[in-house]
Amino acid sequence: ALRSASLSRIADTLAQTYLGRETGRRVLAGTIVRGVAEKMRSVIWFSDLRDFTRTADTAPPEEIIPFLNDYAEVTIDCVHEAGGEVLKLMGDGVLAIFNADDTGEACRAALQAEQALRERTAVLNSERSAENHPVTNPYVALHVGEVFYGNIGSRERLDFTVVGPAVNETSRILALCSALKTDVLISPAFAAAASEADRASFVSIGRYELRGVEEIQELFTLHESARSTHS
């Protein structure tokens, strides 16, 4: 019985560590049928790291994994503490979702995670700079849309994630952060779903075409003086 309980705890820990908390729970509960997906409306978070390619090309090879781990840790911690679910790590990129009965509450949670990430990144950068390690800042894109959440892949290798046009759209928005010189971009759907109090801190930065998206999108960022209102 002790061995069985120990193995169960190990399985639970591995599932949560490699798949995420909610996804790990679902997989352990037997939700592992390929092609089974749940349609839901979620806040979608996509983030990556400014100038990661340049850092990877110029930093000593032994610096890259600690670099990624340091920034992934603060990102994942901030998402989880705000109630989000990290679904995928892609090099320097993080895909996560926030769900709540009230989409406005999910938006607020994502904004709280973004604010916490800025604060913790500033501390991390100070620590890394003091040790002459490369530093960066995260880019974050926030969107709201319908996603399919479930198992995708082959009979031998499944990935539990979210897919759909809204996920692709979030990725396209994230790609504009560098060109628009802003660390956070908010979609019009996110702005519409957010509470009136949260929308007061959004600043329009214009209308832009997104690759693969028919309609031109008005994108927003956060007013610097209002960031602290989400903490």
Side-chain angles (χ1 to χ4, degrees):
L2 287 175
R3 178 176 174 81
S4 177
S6 177
L7 289 174
S8 178
R9 285 195 298 271
I10 291 171
D12 186 60
T13 299
L14 287 173
Q16 290 195 35
T17 301
Y18 282 92
L19 301 175
R21 294 181 298 186
E22 175 62 18
T23 302
R25 184 190 66 77
R26 290 185 179 221
V27 169
L28 288 175
T31 311
I32 54 175
V33 178
R34 182 168 61 130
V36 173
E38 174 187 354
K39 185 178 181 180
M40 58 189 185
R41 182 172 173 83
S42 296
V43 169
I44 307 162
W45 164 300
F46 245 127
S47 62
D48 63 10
L49 301 176
R50 181 192 298 173
D51 295 331
F52 172 68
T53 300
R54 180 178 59 81
T55 300
D57 288 342
T58 57
E62 64 273 14
E63 288 265 16
I64 303 305
I65 298 302
F67 175 88
L68 286 171
N69 283 343
D70 281 352
Y71 289 98
E73 181 170 23
V74 295
T75 303
I76 293 167
D77 284 352
C78 290
V79 169
H80 281 171
E81 288 169 17
E85 174 80 359
V86 172
L87 296 175
K88 191 184 290 290
L89 305 178
M90 302 158 285
D92 65 318
V94 175
L95 169 63
I97 56 172
F98 293 80
N99 291 313
D101 293 337
D102 178 357
T103 306
E105 288 300 315
C107 291
R108 171 159 282 269
L111 291 168
Q112 289 173 339
E114 195 277 338
Q115 170 67 18
L117 179 58
R118 299 297 159 200
E119 295 170 354
R120 295 190 192 181
T121 298
V123 174
L124 174 61
N125 284 347
S126 178
E127 295 171 349
R128 289 182 59 86
S129 294
E131 298 176 356
N132 295 315
H133 296 315
V135 299
T136 187
N137 280 289
Y139 289 135
V140 176
L142 299 174
H143 185 34
V144 171
E146 299 285 346
V147 299
F148 289 96
Y149 176 53
N151 290 297
I152 299 163
S154 74
R155 287 185 295 273
E156 295 183 352
R157 178 65 171 88
L158 290 172
D159 191 14
F160 209 124
T161 188
V162 290
V163 296
V167 179
N168 299 335
E169 193 169 329
T170 314
S171 176
R172 305 287 189 259
I173 293 171
L174 179 65
L176 287 176
C177 284
S178 178
L180 298 180
K181 295 181 171 56
T182 183
D183 287 339
V184 57
L185 282 174
I186 293 167
S187 76
F190 186 100
S195 69
E196 184 177 350
D198 286 331
R199 283 197 301 273
S201 66
F202 298 172
V203 179
S204 175
I205 56 172
R207 295 166 61 82
Y208 296 90
E209 290 186 4
L210 302 177
R211 184 165 59 88
V213 179
E214 287 187 11
E215 294 184 10
I216 294 176
Q217 302 282 315
E218 181 180 16
L219 300 178
F220 302 83
T221 190
L222 290 173
H223 195 289
E224 287 300 320
S225 64
R227 282 187 179 275
S228 61
T229 63
H230 304 297
S231 59

